[in-house]
Amino acid sequence: MSMNSLQDLFVQQLKDLYSAENQLIKALPKMAKGATTPELRKAFESHLEETRNQAGRIEQIFKAESLQGVPGGHKCKGMEGLVAEGSEILEEKGDQNVLDAGIIAAAQRVEHYEIAGYGTARAMAKLLGYTTAEQMLSKSLDEEAAADEKLTSIAEKYIYAAVPQNGK
Ligand code: FE
Ligand code: ZN
Ligand code: FE
């Protein structure tokens, strides 16, 4: 695929986001299962639902804006790496609250990565005059920001207070 216009780049960015969301659809159930704190598990389960909707939204954008091609067929390597880092913490043994704090750290990196992706894609949609895409990308962006904030509040409310501060 050659990159000769912002339009070409926009399509490429959407494909990357689509792959990122689909990788997360597979990873989130594992993170929910690996979490000990019930509120954290619930947060992953509800974000899984949102994540499915976000992937669906990208499919809808291709249709609504009559974009060329399909959203699939590309692999987001950034998300692949972030999910791999999440898997590393899930394989660790130790204090349950420390492990939950580690899972949150990995999940927040994911959310920030998505926030960057959606923020950029939305700006491009706006420039290109894709109003429907802009609105849908805004919705996903808001959900990612809310998911990130939820993780911060779970960490502060349930986990950091219970975590051993040092190993001595
Ligand atoms: Fe997402
Ligand atoms: Zn990517
Ligand atoms: Fe997300």
Side-chain angles (χ1 to χ4, degrees):
M1 183 182 167
S2 54
M3 295 281 170
N4 296 311
S5 63
L6 186 65
Q7 155 86 29
D8 294 338
L9 186 60
F10 178 60
V11 168
Q12 186 274 342
Q13 296 286 304
L14 289 179
K15 283 169 173 268
D16 195 76
L17 280 164
Y18 187 69
S19 165
E21 297 296 9
N22 280 299
Q23 291 183 57
L24 262 190
I25 288 168
K26 287 189 192 146
L28 278 167
K30 293 174 196 165
M31 294 172 85
K33 210 174 154 219
T36 304
T37 307
E39 288 77 7
L40 181 57
R41 197 176 308 149
K42 268 178 239 141
F44 286 137
E45 283 163 2
S46 77
H47 197 51
L48 173 62
E49 222 26 64
E50 286 177 331
T51 301
R52 289 199 184 103
N53 292 335
Q54 291 165 358
R57 246 171 240 143
I58 297 170
E59 293 169 8
Q60 289 168 40
I61 289 170
F62 269 77
K63 287 202 189 91
E65 306 293 5
S66 304
L67 300 178
Q68 281 216 341
V70 289
H74 165 86
K75 182 142 201 186
C76 175
K77 295 187 183 69
M79 186 59 75
E80 191 176 24
L82 292 170
V83 166
E85 290 192 355
S87 301
E88 282 178 5
I89 187 83
L90 289 173
E91 283 160 22
E92 297 282 354
K93 303 262 176 295
D95 178 273
Q96 290 183 334
N97 286 303
V98 175
L99 295 174
D100 274 2
I103 294 169
I104 289 177
Q108 289 196 285
R109 286 180 186 224
V110 166
E111 296 313 323
H112 281 246
Y113 182 72
E114 293 185 296
I115 288 166
Y118 278 113
T120 303
R122 181 179 66 174
M124 290 180 177
K126 187 174 183 171
L127 269 163
L128 291 163
Y130 291 139
T131 316
T132 304
E134 189 190 343
Q135 284 166 359
M136 286 185 159
L137 293 167
S138 262
K139 192 153 203 301
S140 296
L141 179 60
D142 289 348
E143 287 173 356
E144 308 296 18
D148 178 56
E149 282 164 26
K150 183 83 187 282
L151 289 168
T152 297
S153 71
I154 289 170
E156 287 173 349
K157 207 166 162 191
Y158 303 102
I159 296 165
Y160 292 156
V163 113
Q165 299 294 306
N166 62 55
K168 281 179 232 163

